[in-house]
Amino acid sequence: MIATCNCEHEYQDESYGPGRRVHNKTTKRVGEASVYRCTVCGAEKTN
């Protein structure tokens, strides 16, 4: 999943746009929402 993140990564800025990072789905859930982890900084976000 591509989502916004505050971390810096030159290649992903060029590939996906400024502030947009690749996030991988984890096995965690918050209620009905899945949790995704940034591949650069490890920040977790729900979808």
Side-chain angles (χ1 to χ4, degrees), residues 8-18 20-22 40:
E8 294 183 16
H9 193 276
E10 186 177 329
Y11 173 76
Q12 288 194 21
D13 279 343
E14 291 176 13
S15 298
Y16 309 112
R20 312 248 326 138
R21 303 288 176 258
V22 175
V40 176

Side-chain angles (χ1 to χ4, degrees), residues 1 6 11 13 16 20 24-25 28 37-38 44 46:
M1 165 176 152
N6 295 327
Y11 173 76
D13 279 343
Y16 309 112
R20 312 248 326 138
N24 291 327
K25 188 173 183 179
K28 296 180 184 178
R37 183 175 300 124
C38 178
E44 294 182 343
T46 57

Side-chain angles (χ1 to χ4, degrees), residues 4 8 26 36-37 40 47:
T4 58
E8 294 183 16
T26 67
Y36 293 83
R37 183 175 300 124
V40 176
N47 178 14

